[in-house]
Amino acid sequence: MEPIVIVGAGLAGYQCAKEVRRLDETVPLLIVASDSGNYYSKPMLSNAFASQKTPDALVLKGSVKMGEELGAQILPYAEVDAIFPEDREISVRGRRIGYSKLVLALGADPIMLHEGAFSINDLADYAKFRQALDGKNKVAILGAGLVGCEFADDLSRAGFVVDVFDIADRPLGRLVPPECGHWIERSLKVNWHFNAKISKIEKGNIHLEDGSVIEAEIVLSAVGLKPRTKLAIDAGIEVGRGIRVDRHLETSAKEVYAIGDCMEVEGTVLPFVMPIMHASKILAANLLGKREKLVYPAMPVVVKTPSCPLVVSPPKPGAKGQWQSESGQDGVKSVFVGDDGKMLGFALCGKAVSEKNALAKELPGILS
Ligand SMILES: Cc1cc2nc3c(=O)[nH]c(=O)nc-3n(C[C@H](O)[C@H](O)[C@H](O)COP(=O)(O)OP(=O)(O)OC[C@H]3O[C@@H](n4cnc5c(N)ncnc54)[C@H](O)[C@@H]3O)c2cc1C
């Protein structure tokens, strides 16, 4: 019997394998990954500089141990270069491997807008950046979104001088209203550059379109991710922004499924941990012959900026309504109220984060 083949050994791939094993102890499982296959917590990457964590210290379990625990064969450093859905085979450097069902858990690539910048999207990136940081003091960060703010806070707490650049007029511009944005701005000990249009990066220095130059020694880009879709496109599988799946997590190719940062469901790409936890349970059941449907509840994201406790649960893009904010000495509570009077999202800063669970219960699900 051909194995269930999972391509990718990130959280999505491993979580799917764990859920399959929970339901079935014997079905053959093969995990193929272009990286080491070592299991680590990716969210830790933007919280590791202040605590001086080495890349090795971030590995929770090696690939061999993962294979033993999951009763799975793991092929590390094995890049899949093609998928053949009609033949139920994948190709790894030209070698064909058969599957009974295929799971694409390929993750996403960082979007790079400028040459001369680093990005951190996996353990190897973290190791490279950490090495390049040695002996340097001034870091420029491109992007004041969720991950950019986390790196900014972490690096400033680690003692670096941090300059953050964004084309928006405040941090987390797409996720929170101005009151929360300004709270974050005041809480993080970094130099902010908003409405900043970068023309080039030269020797680590940031050149803006208005002619100003901000000196930095090293640049970290955190402007967003692009789901890895090339393998799917080449195989004729339908993609939008990510690899499109239906509510059963199946792609347009029979017996080919997708999960995690590479996946799009009903027009939504959600590159976070909680969607993977929900989707992996449904996917495992469906890989074993069930036909369960993906449901997402509201999934607030805790932003890891210790200098500014922060939780966001933004409304769906395009939602009609408005933000209502209450600011105090200790924090900001903002709720997004829809035109029908129902709460559709929230952003909580400082002490207001304690209201997260109560508010989350009132939010509508993301996929119901
Ligand atoms: C710095 C940072 C901080 C974050 N913090 C948070 C947080 O606080 N909360 C939260 O909810 N989310 C957070 N996230 C997002 C979260 O970590 C991701 O959503 C999640 O880890 C994605 O897992 P994944 O398995 O889909 O992708 P990945 O972990 O990227 O795994 C992809 C796997 O696919 C393999 N692969 C790719 N292409 C091929 C190929 N052709 N052949 C073989 N293998 C291939 C790769 O080698 C890898 O093993 C953070 C992300 C980053 C970058």
Side-chain angles (χ1 to χ4, degrees):
M1 179 188 178
E2 297 292 13
I4 295 175
V5 174
I6 300 174
V7 186
L11 181 70
Y14 274 139
Q15 197 58 32
C16 171
K18 278 185 204 169
E19 292 293 343
V20 168
R21 266 302 163 253
R22 207 170 51 79
L23 299 173
D24 186 313
E25 288 177 2
T26 56
V27 65
L29 268 180
L30 170 65
I31 300 173
V32 185
S34 48
D35 61 11
S36 66
N38 291 339
Y39 184 59
Y40 70 102
S41 162
K42 190 182 285 210
M44 283 294 295
L45 297 178
S46 48
N47 253 192
F49 291 102
S51 51
Q52 299 193 341
K53 287 257 163 53
T54 62
D56 285 348
L58 290 174
V59 175
L60 300 170
K61 267 176 209 167
S63 63
V64 174
K65 181 97 183 134
M66 287 304 286
E68 282 166 10
E69 283 189 9
L70 290 166
Q73 191 191 347
I74 299 187
L75 279 188
Y77 303 112
E79 179 153 349
V80 173
D81 46 51
I83 306 169
F84 304 97
E86 288 94 50
D87 305 334
R88 296 206 182 176
E89 285 179 347
I90 56 169
S91 155
V92 177
R93 284 185 231 106
R95 175 186 151 211
R96 295 272 194 128
I97 298 174
Y99 63 78
S100 57
K101 318 234 170 175
L102 178 67
V103 177
L104 302 176
L106 304 167
D109 284 317
I111 295 170
M112 299 303 283
L113 299 176
H114 302 280
E115 280 183 22
F118 288 80
S119 65
I120 302 180
N121 186 43
D122 58 32
L123 209 47
D125 290 342
Y126 175 73
K128 219 172 0 168
F129 184 74
R130 210 167 172 271
Q131 198 175 19
L133 207 52
D134 198 28
K136 300 198 171 56
N137 180 44
K138 286 198 76 172
V139 184
I141 295 182
L142 312 184
L146 221 133
V147 171
C149 283
E150 291 186 349
F151 278 121
D153 196 30
D154 194 41
L155 286 162
S156 83
R157 291 167 78 91
F160 293 92
V161 176
V162 178
D163 284 77
V164 182
F165 298 79
D166 203 296
I167 47 167
D169 62 357
R170 60 178 186 275
L172 270 68
R174 275 179 295 176
L175 300 176
V176 306
E179 291 82 354
C180 269
H182 296 319
W183 181 276
I184 302 163
E185 200 179 325
R186 285 195 302 273
S187 304
L188 268 55
K189 305 280 178 288
V190 304
N191 306 312
W192 298 103
H193 304 268
F194 295 120
N195 304 304
K197 294 198 177 112
I198 295 170
S199 56
K200 64 175 174 181
I201 298 171
E202 214 170 53
K203 295 185 188 130
N205 296 327
I206 308 291
H207 294 248
L208 298 181
E209 279 184 9
D210 66 8
S212 52
V213 180
I214 291 89
E215 283 181 22
E217 293 167 300
I218 185 164
V219 184
L220 179 60
S221 176
V223 297
L225 294 171
K226 189 179 172 306
R228 293 189 177 119
T229 54
K230 186 175 180 306
L231 274 181
I233 293 171
D234 291 350
I237 294 171
E238 209 179 289
V239 308
R241 210 149 64 77
I243 302 170
R244 280 198 180 129
V245 295
D246 62 18
R247 293 285 287 272
H248 309 289
L249 281 316
E250 197 167 15
T251 69
S252 62
K254 220 171 153 359
E255 309 296 10
V256 181
Y257 298 76
I259 184 168
D261 285 7
C262 67
M263 165 197 113
E264 172 183 319
V265 59
E266 298 204 345
T268 310
V269 176
L270 287 175
F272 298 108
V273 170
M274 283 316 289
I276 291 174
M277 303 315 268
H278 287 283
S280 55
K281 288 194 170 65
I282 304 299
L283 177 52
N286 293 348
L287 288 170
L288 297 169
K290 295 253 169 52
R291 198 81 182 139
E292 292 189 5
K293 195 173 160 195
L294 180 65
V295 170
Y296 281 151
M299 294 176 281
V301 177
V302 176
V303 186
K304 303 182 300 299
T305 43
S307 306
C308 175
L310 178 62
V311 182
V312 296
S313 192
K316 280 187 185 167
K320 298 252 183 305
Q322 56 185 357
W323 285 102
Q324 297 175 0
S325 296
E326 289 167 34
S327 302
Q329 289 272 313
D330 298 333
V332 184
K333 171 182 173 182
S334 299
V335 293
F336 187 91
V337 181
D339 286 349
D340 59 359
K342 292 200 178 114
M343 184 177 59
L344 300 179
F346 61 74
L348 307 169
C349 303
K351 287 229 165 112
V353 298
S354 62
E355 294 187 50
K356 176 191 123 194
N357 290 344
L359 288 176
K361 281 189 197 140
E362 290 178 39
L363 285 180
I366 294 173
L367 283 181
S368 41

